[in-house]
Amino acid sequence: MTRLIFLGPPGAGKGTQAQALAHAHTIPHVSTGDILRGAVAQQTDLGLKAKAFMDEGELVPDSLMLDLVRDRLSQSDVAEGWLLDGFPRTVNQATFLDQVLNDIRQSCDYVINLDVPDDIIVTRLLNRGRTDDNESVIRHRLEVYREQTAPLIDFYRQRQQLVSVNGNQPVEAVSRDLQQAIQSA
Ligand code: AP5
Ligand code: MG
């Protein structure tokens, strides 16, 4: 059984690593960014409300995020494990997640922090070219990360759940270090 949270700045490789690990462990990769982009593409009520925040690189308000995550973690396919990518992103979301996991009698095994320097991130994301991957929005996502999400590194470190991995290496090397870190943590 594997339950991991992927933390880390935009473009750190959370999605890339979580997807590979989810495939290897046959457990769902739950990316709040992917869920929101799906909602935007389908023009659902959630998507219509979230789009402007995502386009600006701002966090989507908790009034839209929290129920979404609670509902997703209550579904049967995640009962045996999950890889959470992009949630929590604030201390408030982390506290909420604690409550949800407590309610469904689950706990997170580790929180993976992928470290990548800002200049590498900007280059990676400009090459990818998602709608929120232009230089000013990328830089704003990095600021939002530093102000609102980076405090979670200490939050989880103090609880001895944090595992840091150097994300500034080829994808396969990051995967290898990640596997080793989880096994030896
Ligand atoms: P989200 O989709 O989570 O985006 P993000 O955090 O900005 O991160 P990315 O998906 O851009 O990067 P990643 O770390 O997944 O890296 P990836 O593997 O893709 O969130 C988007 C928006 O949704 C937010 O701005 C917000 O508005 C909203 N949102 C989402 N969750 C929310 C929440 N909880 N609360 C509120 N709002 C929320 O890799 C990036 C690129 O690099 C790819 O091209 C990849 O191929 C490449 N790459 C990956 N690894 C390597 C490597 N080792 N070497 C070289 N290239 C690599
Ligand atoms: Mg991603």
Side-chain angles (χ1 to χ4, degrees), residues 55-76:
D55 286 347
E56 297 283 313
E58 288 288 337
L59 294 185
V60 174
D62 281 355
S63 55
L64 297 174
M65 295 307 299
L66 302 186
D67 286 347
L68 180 160
V69 168
R70 185 194 289 281
D71 291 349
R72 184 66 190 89
L73 289 180
S74 308
Q75 288 166 16
S76 57

Side-chain angles (χ1 to χ4, degrees), residues 14-15 31 34 37 85 128 130:
K14 302 182 294 293
S31 157
D34 287 351
R37 280 183 289 279
D85 158 11
R128 182 178 61 183
R130 208 166 70 191

Side-chain angles (χ1 to χ4, degrees), residues 32-162:
T32 47
D34 287 351
I35 293 170
L36 291 168
R37 280 183 289 279
V40 171
Q42 289 173 19
Q43 299 188 306
T44 64
D45 193 35
L46 168 67
L48 294 173
K49 287 178 179 155
K51 187 177 186 311
F53 295 98
M54 299 173 77
D55 286 347
E56 297 283 313
E58 288 288 337
L59 294 185
V60 174
D62 281 355
S63 55
L64 297 174
M65 295 307 299
L66 302 186
D67 286 347
L68 180 160
V69 168
R70 185 194 289 281
D71 291 349
R72 184 66 190 89
L73 289 180
S74 308
Q75 288 166 16
S76 57
D77 64 322
V78 289
E80 300 301 323
W82 39 257
L83 301 175
L84 207 41
D85 158 11
F87 192 97
R89 258 177 149 94
T90 63
V91 172
N92 189 48
Q93 290 186 359
T95 308
F96 172 82
L97 180 63
D98 280 346
Q99 284 167 11
V100 170
L101 294 180
N102 191 44
D103 290 348
I104 59 176
R105 291 163 202 241
Q106 294 187 7
S107 58
C108 166
D109 302 318
Y110 301 111
V111 178
I112 314 294
N113 181 42
L114 293 173
D115 278 325
V116 181
D118 284 7
D119 54 337
I120 302 284
I121 284 172
V122 175
T123 309
R124 274 188 193 177
L125 293 183
L126 286 175
N127 283 330
R128 182 178 61 183
R130 208 166 70 191
T131 52
D132 55 348
D133 287 340
N134 64 73
E135 184 148 3
S136 67
V137 173
I138 294 168
R139 296 222 178 261
H140 188 60
R141 279 155 62 201
L142 282 166
E143 276 172 33
V144 169
Y145 167 79
R146 255 189 297 277
E147 284 171 17
Q148 304 202 49
T149 308
L152 290 179
I153 295 175
D154 274 344
F155 179 93
Y156 287 116
R157 187 185 281 127
Q158 281 168 11
R159 293 163 42 153
Q160 300 182 326
Q161 283 181 299
L162 193 81

